[in-house]
Amino acid sequence: MSQQETPGFSTLAIHAGATPDPSTGARVTPIYQTTAYVFNDVDHAASLFNLEAFGNIYTRIMNPTQAVLEQRVAALEGGTAALAVASGHAAQLLVFHTLLQPGDEFVAGRQLYGGSINQFNHSFKKFDWRVAWADSTDPGSIEAAVTPQTRAIFVESIANPGGVVVDLPAISAIAKKAGVPLIVDNTLATPYLCRPKEHGADIVLHSLTKFMGGHGNSLGGVIVDCGTFDWLNAKIRYPTLVEPNPSYNGMRLAETFGNFAFAIAARVLGLRDLGPSISPFNAFMILTGIETLPLRMAKHCENSLAVAEFLAKHPKVAWVNYAGLKDNRFHSIAQRLCPKGAGAVFTFGVKGGYEAGVELVSKVKLLSHLANIGDTRSLIIHPASTTHRQLTDAQRTAAGAGEDVVRLSIGLEDAADIIADLDQALAA
Ligand SMILES: *Cc1c(COP(=O)(O)O)cnc(C)c1O
């Protein structure tokens, strides 16, 4: 049988990065539950510490189970390298730690995961990293927010919680004009539905906690270096990448590592010094989840469309925002960027506002009322009373989390059962 040159997505989801364990023959990637690794000799140790050779030193910086996860996600996203970390928020922290100096700015689309809005507004302030908010649905507003201090543009591909699909090619053009990298949080889409690199992203990140792991059991995050941004010739200077590094004998990372320098810098500086490493056990759980990503995402999308169609016809529902529905404002852009489906997280408005939203989440039985997405189980939340509670009214509305908004993350149960549960809860 002749081998295809590039294996298909489902094949990569199962095999990329993994080989049978050389010493035991174990077919599944083992959980390398070790803190450190024995050096061959003193010279070997020196070459590892000098970044002259690749190899394991200490699990805060790398681990063999983690390495398979990194290679798998890099293959699925089409990147040159990846770095897996403890959570999606840790991935965001390390991306900006690699790009920004105190006083630098970045532009972020305001349709974001609520936790990202908090991270950018509050914790990043302590590093003097400054966020300029814009509207992800309006590339003109992103362009208007760019200043000479802008060092990056950050958006989600399918934006949380509103089911917004962002015009990545248009925003990439703005990033290129500004000479800064485009960072895309691809958590809600996963590379099965959308590969941001193909639409101009330079850095892709995920909360692996969600659809990638897919079972609601393990936190993780990943940074994918698309290998597309030319740090050495950029009109903006990124000191972490281009200046001689005092902790590596004056090495210039962009010069030494070329098109995967960003992933290396995030590991050997950010992860080394800030420390949010992923546990080998979580890397193993997420790897197992990724093996069924294509099957799960197809079913998540099929169920979501069925539920959205049901809700759109329901008399107690004011509106449904799911880009999979033909009359949705993001339908045509979803077909262009995510032709296999519009994902499984979307919002709808319940007639009766805040009270009705709170009432609905208290009446569901099959759906779980909790603050997560991307589980096999169907999940429901009323953002205004939970995840987006800390934001002001104006911030909530801007983020697509107004008083009447209910967010669903549709799972893998039978669609008829999910619909029946929502039906009884809406009737109550
Ligand atoms: C959950 C989530 C995050 C944060 O990820 P954690 O793994 O919870 O730290 C970031 N972005 C999006 C879109 C998310 O859904």
Side-chain angles (χ1 to χ4, degrees):
M1 210 176 79
S2 73
Q3 279 251 259
Q4 253 182 287
E5 249 181 43
T6 310
F9 190 91
S10 297
T11 306
L12 291 174
I14 294 168
H15 292 285
T19 50
D21 182 61
S23 56
T24 61
R27 188 63 192 86
V28 172
T29 299
I31 302 169
Y32 286 95
Q33 191 69 27
T34 182
T35 308
Y37 309 84
V38 176
F39 305 122
N40 300 342
D41 52 41
V42 173
D43 289 343
H44 175 229
S47 69
L48 292 178
F49 279 101
N50 288 342
L51 300 182
E52 290 155 10
F54 290 108
N56 297 311
I57 298 175
Y58 188 67
T59 286
R60 175 160 24 79
I61 310 167
M62 73 266 280
N63 169 279
T65 314
Q66 172 191 348
V68 175
L69 175 60
E70 290 165 348
Q71 287 170 40
R72 186 153 313 165
V73 178
L76 294 175
E77 287 285 6
T80 51
L83 174 66
V85 293
S87 67
H89 270 9
Q92 292 172 186
L93 172 65
L94 294 194
V95 162
F96 287 106
H97 183 258
T98 307
L99 290 174
L100 303 186
Q101 300 296 117
D104 283 348
E105 288 177 16
F106 65 102
V107 175
R110 66 170 75 90
Q111 292 80 0
L112 289 191
Y113 175 67
S116 303
I117 297 175
N118 277 332
Q119 188 188 44
F120 296 174
N121 271 340
H122 305 297
S123 287
F124 279 13
K125 242 192 209 157
K126 299 195 174 185
F127 301 101
D128 201 11
W129 301 338
R130 301 172 186 181
V131 59
W133 294 106
D135 181 351
S136 325
T137 69
D138 172 12
S141 123
I142 299 221
E143 182 150 37
V146 171
T147 74
Q149 276 67 52
T150 301
R151 294 292 174 268
I153 297 176
F154 182 98
V155 292
E156 293 180 4
S157 46
I158 298 182
N160 198 340
V164 170
V165 183
V166 172
D167 190 347
L168 297 180
I171 296 170
S172 162
I174 294 163
K176 288 204 165 60
K177 199 168 139 199
V180 303
L182 173 62
I183 307 162
V184 176
D185 179 340
N186 202 32
T187 300
L188 266 60
T190 82
Y192 177 77
L193 297 178
C194 173
R195 294 218 278 180
K197 180 183 174 182
E198 291 167 4
H199 306 295
D202 301 294
I203 297 160
V204 174
L205 59 82
H206 285 269
S207 168
L208 296 173
T209 315
K210 315 294 170 53
F211 293 97
M212 295 289 269
H215 294 73
N217 57 23
S218 307
L219 268 99
V222 73
I223 299 164
V224 179
D225 187 343
C226 295
T228 45
F229 196 84
D230 184 354
W231 307 103
L232 286 172
N233 297 303
K235 67 180 174 196
I236 285 168
R237 217 170 155 68
Y238 292 89
T240 306
L241 288 142
V242 302
E243 279 174 13
N245 194 283
S247 67
Y248 289 110
N249 295 322
M251 178 185 278
R252 294 169 206 266
L253 295 175
E255 212 169 74
T256 307
F257 296 106
N259 71 357
F260 57 100
F262 187 83
I264 295 277
R267 183 192 306 278
V268 304
L269 300 171
L271 186 58
R272 183 195 66 177
D273 296 349
L274 301 177
S277 45
I278 188 168
S279 78
F281 183 77
N282 281 16
F284 170 86
M285 293 299 282
I286 292 165
L287 266 174
T288 304
I290 288 175
E291 294 187 3
T292 55
L293 179 69
L295 290 171
R296 288 187 292 102
M297 290 313 290
K299 173 85 168 165
H300 275 300
C301 290
E302 182 190 316
N303 278 356
S304 297
L305 187 58
V307 172
E309 281 170 347
F310 158 77
L311 289 171
K313 287 191 240 122
H314 199 284
K316 292 202 176 157
V317 171
W319 51 267
V320 180
N321 186 18
Y322 183 56
L325 294 175
K326 288 206 173 57
D327 60 357
N328 184 271
R329 75 181 264 225
F330 298 106
H331 186 65
S332 69
I333 184 167
Q335 289 206 304
R336 193 152 50 89
L337 299 187
C338 323
K340 284 191 276 201
V345 177
F346 64 94
T347 52
F348 67 96
V350 55
K351 288 184 185 161
Y354 191 93
E355 300 307 322
V358 169
E359 182 72 6
L360 176 68
V361 296
S362 68
K363 288 281 159 37
V364 290
K365 294 181 182 137
L366 176 66
L367 277 79
S368 306
H369 175 213
L370 54 73
N372 192 21
I373 55 170
D375 196 325
T376 52
R377 285 150 273 266
S378 290
L379 315 174
I380 188 167
I381 201 160
H382 178 233
S385 60
T386 54
T387 51
H388 287 61
R389 205 188 168 85
Q390 318 301 344
L391 306 181
T392 64
D393 269 349
Q395 283 176 321
R396 272 203 289 267
T397 307
E403 307 234 301
D404 65 335
V405 177
V406 175
R407 186 188 72 192
L408 296 173
S409 173
I410 297 300
L412 304 179
E413 304 95 338
D414 290 292
D417 293 328
I418 305 168
I419 289 171
D421 191 37
L422 285 167
D423 201 25
Q424 68 77 23
L426 282 164

